[in-house]
Amino acid sequence: MKNGIDEKDPRFKVANREALIGIILVIINFLWWFGFAYGMGSESVENYSYIMGLPAWFFYSCVGGFILMVILVIFVVKFFFKDVPFEDEGGESE
Amino acid sequence: MNWAVILPFLIILLAFFIIGIWASKPLAKSNSFLQDYFLGDRQLGGFILAMTMVATYGSASSFIGGPGIAYTQGLGWVLLSMAQLATGYFVLMILGKKFAIVARKYKAITLVDFLKERYQSKWVVLLSAFSIIIFLFSSMGAQWVGGGVLIESLTGMSYTTSLFIFALSAIVYVILGGFRAVALTDVLQGVVMFIGTLTLLIATIIAGGGIDNIIADLTAENPNLITPYGFDGGLKPLYVSSFWILVGIGVVGLPQITVRAMSYKNSKAMHQAIIVSTIVVGFIMLGMHLIGVFARPILPGIEKGDTVMPLLAMEVLPPWLAGVVLAAPMAAIMSTVNALLLLVSSAIVKDVYSNYIKPDASEKTIKNISLIVTTVIGILVFIMALSPPDFIIWLNLFAFGGLEAAFIWPVVLGLYWQKGNKYGAVFSMIIGVGSYILFDSFYPNAFGMHTVTLPILLSLVAYVVGSLVTRQEVKLG
């Protein structure tokens, strides 16, 4: 109840869940990025395979990782993010 | 002078200018000057919000410095720069709705307003305003030098004249239109940055004879260029990963970014902005740094990294198109400068002056003072950028991490951890900035990680311990 902020405000539940989703996304993003870059990129250059002209590690880690994150972000925003009013009057009418 | 390049460049600069004047119209009629000038009346829609975040974040380093390093380091540096993809969604998701709701409830106009209401402490306010003024003032200096150099290399005019043109146009926008003008020009600048990246990437691939060809040339020159480890194997996984803290998640603590997270209209705008900014940030970072690497076989032997991007544009594009594409880094620099200029002046006027020096100042006085302060800062930065002292260059490199170490926990934990209090916040800021200075001077890149990593961890500990210990004392007493 500090400074007029009611921690039990139902809108904050939504906000907390969405912040958690942000953390999960960044972890997925990092693991994908790290895994492909250093998993595939550590081989010797002679053994590299190539996709669309780019080394496979780079293609999966950077290009693929970018596309994956865009899809994931669109997905979570469309299906998990809720519209809430920001002004107080709206919050109380819920 | 190469008018074929300069003309389209000037037309785009002029367009920014017209938008600034146009955006200032509602300001003249506004009845809440402070909120409108510094925050655009919290009416930003999703697309504008996304673009203003991208344009503020994408600075000289994304377009000039970054590609220059990628030119030397190879694909490993593109990998490193992709840590910035996270900024596209992470900041808005973490601060998110809670920050928007709380900032409205507190009637906060600046990040410092939020901290002031949350912690009810004069020390928190003064420490934060002070960090913002010092760090951002110096990073502005470096951006102005970049802007001056770019105009100089494009037009052949003297550095002083170039810097003067740059400074004048930047100051005029900010004074005329405030946040709304900055946000709106950011949109155009973001679009220019996006199109510029796309155009240059395509032209570079064509000039290099296709991606296969470019990669083959790079492998022939030095196979390390196409590994994740950098041209001499020096980019270690731990070091590269630690950039996720500096340029990825730590960005949550940058005041110029957080202020944007309280400026949007409604949750729909926020949802749209998350998607748009992820796409745009990812594309620009991937594109610009790849361009830097691909430039290597086309223009071998460039010594000065900062010149790779302008030289390449003039090499692979027809002159008029080069002018348009080179407006992209100009846009990036200018939008960053505008945001910083506005933020420093808000720290002085709103956070210090109207809080502590003259709390009863009238709206009109505040309005006049805001305009005067913005102009004076602009002139001071101009003078500083004429012959930048080494100290400023160092401070600029330092500013990014310093601000993150100072603000990340007081902001994030202030939002999500009720037990956090003013002692925790003050400790966290002092330990964060203090340890950053010490590590940077005595043990840079400690344990193979970027210098900012440990100070951010230490400031977390300071915040938690500081809050918990003082809480017990209060209970005992």
Side-chain angles (χ1 to χ4, degrees), chain B residues 30-87:
Chain B
S30 164
N31 43 19
S32 172
F33 173 77
L34 269 183
Q35 166 144 327
D36 208 354
Y37 186 73
F38 289 123
L39 214 49
D41 214 17
R42 293 188 217 276
Q43 287 302 315
L44 296 195
F47 186 70
I48 300 187
L49 174 63
M51 283 311 196
T52 185
M53 295 195 91
V54 173
T56 305
Y57 180 70
S59 63
S61 73
S62 332
F63 283 88
I64 307 282
I69 304 176
Y71 177 88
T72 315
Q73 289 280 7
L75 291 180
W77 199 260
V78 188
L79 177 71
L80 183 149
S81 72
M82 281 311 279
Q84 298 173 85
L85 175 60
T87 58

Side-chain angles (χ1 to χ4, degrees), chain B residues 221-400:
Chain B
E221 191 202 330
N222 174 359
N224 283 337
L225 290 171
I226 66 160
T227 68
Y229 297 101
F231 75 108
D232 60 354
L235 294 176
K236 298 282 178 263
L238 183 64
Y239 178 72
V240 174
S241 300
S242 69
F243 273 78
W244 279 72
I245 294 183
L246 181 72
V247 297
I249 60 178
V251 173
V252 173
L254 290 180
Q256 65 269 43
I257 301 290
T258 49
V259 72
R260 279 158 173 69
M262 50 168 108
S263 65
Y264 48 92
K265 200 160 44 175
N266 50 32
S267 49
K268 243 188 206 77
M270 173 205 164
H271 296 167
Q272 196 194 356
I274 290 177
I275 295 173
V276 175
S277 64
T278 307
I279 297 173
V280 177
V281 163
F283 180 77
I284 290 178
M285 293 308 161
L286 182 61
M288 279 319 300
H289 291 87
L290 258 185
I291 288 169
V293 180
F294 288 177
R296 204 174 170 88
I298 300 169
L299 288 174
I302 297 179
E303 296 281 328
K304 237 178 113 198
D306 285 358
T307 59
V308 169
M309 157 75 186
L311 288 178
L312 182 74
M314 305 222 212
E315 168 79 25
V316 301
L317 293 171
W320 65 273
L321 201 52
V324 175
V325 166
L326 287 177
M330 197 64 208
I333 295 171
M334 204 164 247
S335 55
T336 306
V337 162
N338 291 352
L340 300 186
L341 190 55
L342 198 60
L343 201 63
V344 173
S345 96
S346 80
I348 295 174
V349 177
K350 180 71 192 53
D351 302 333
V352 177
Y353 180 80
S354 81
N355 275 342
Y356 299 110
I357 299 177
K358 205 165 182 230
D360 55 346
S362 72
E363 187 94 338
K364 197 167 184 313
T365 322
I366 289 187
K367 184 172 177 170
N368 290 334
I369 290 181
S370 300
L371 300 181
I372 294 168
V373 166
T374 310
T375 314
V376 171
I377 299 170
I379 294 168
L380 284 180
V381 181
F382 174 74
I383 294 169
M384 189 173 82
L386 273 179
S387 58
D390 290 345
F391 175 64
I392 296 298
I393 305 289
W394 177 80
L395 255 187
N396 172 58
L397 293 174
F398 191 79
F400 213 75

Side-chain angles (χ1 to χ4, degrees), chain A residues 1 4 11 13-14 24 34-35 37 48 51 55 59 63 70 73 75 80-81 91:
Chain A
M1 286 285 193
R11 292 175 296 172
K13 227 177 171 172
V14 175
I24 294 170
F34 190 94
Y48 274 7
I51 297 172
F59 182 84
V63 183
V70 169
V73 163
F75 179 79
F80 293 107
F81 276 46

Side-chain angles (χ1 to χ4, degrees), chain B residues 402-426:
Chain B
L403 285 166
E404 291 180 1
F407 288 113
I408 185 166
W409 303 116
V411 173
V412 173
L413 292 180
L415 268 182
Y416 291 100
W417 194 47
Q418 277 174 275
K419 290 180 186 137
N421 64 21
K422 60 180 174 185
Y423 303 104
V426 170

Side-chain angles (χ1 to χ4, degrees), chain A residues 1-7 9 11-12 14-16 18-19 21-23 25-26 29-30 33-34 37-38 41-42 45 48 50 52-55 57-58 61-63 65-66 69-70 73-74 76-78 81-88, chain B residues 75 78-80 82-83 85-86 89-90 93-94 97-98 100-102 104-106 117-118 120 211-212 215 219 223 226-229 236-237 240-241 244 249 264-268 270-271 274-275 278-279 282-283 286 290 294 416 418 420:
Chain A
M1 286 285 193
K2 201 190 279 173
N3 313 330
I5 296 302
D6 176 9
E7 288 299 330
D9 189 327
R11 292 175 296 172
F12 288 159
V14 175
N16 290 351
E18 291 176 6
I21 292 176
I23 294 172
L25 280 187
V26 93
N29 193 173
F30 177 78
W33 170 92
F34 190 94
Y38 295 104
S42 303
V45 176
Y48 274 7
Y50 296 86
M52 290 173 67
L54 294 164
W57 71 264
F58 182 82
S61 172
C62 295
V63 183
F66 172 43
M69 288 319 293
V70 169
V73 163
I74 293 174
V76 300
V77 167
K78 293 271 182 245
F81 276 46
K82 281 212 182 98
D83 272 323
V84 298
F86 289 160
E87 308 298 340
D88 271 351
Chain B
L75 291 180
V78 188
L79 177 71
L80 183 149
M82 281 311 279
L85 175 60
Y89 56 90
F90 191 72
M93 284 186 181
I94 293 300
K97 286 161 190 162
K98 190 150 189 188
I101 294 167
V102 172
R104 274 173 167 76
K105 205 165 250 172
Y106 289 165
E117 288 298 321
R118 170 64 179 79
Q120 303 284 334
I211 298 178
D212 299 272
I215 297 290
T219 319
I226 66 160
T227 68
Y229 297 101
K236 298 282 178 263
V240 174
S241 300
W244 279 72
I249 60 178
Y264 48 92
K265 200 160 44 175
N266 50 32
S267 49
K268 243 188 206 77
M270 173 205 164
H271 296 167
I274 290 177
I275 295 173
T278 307
I279 297 173
F283 180 77
L286 182 61
L290 258 185
F294 288 177
Y416 291 100
Q418 277 174 275

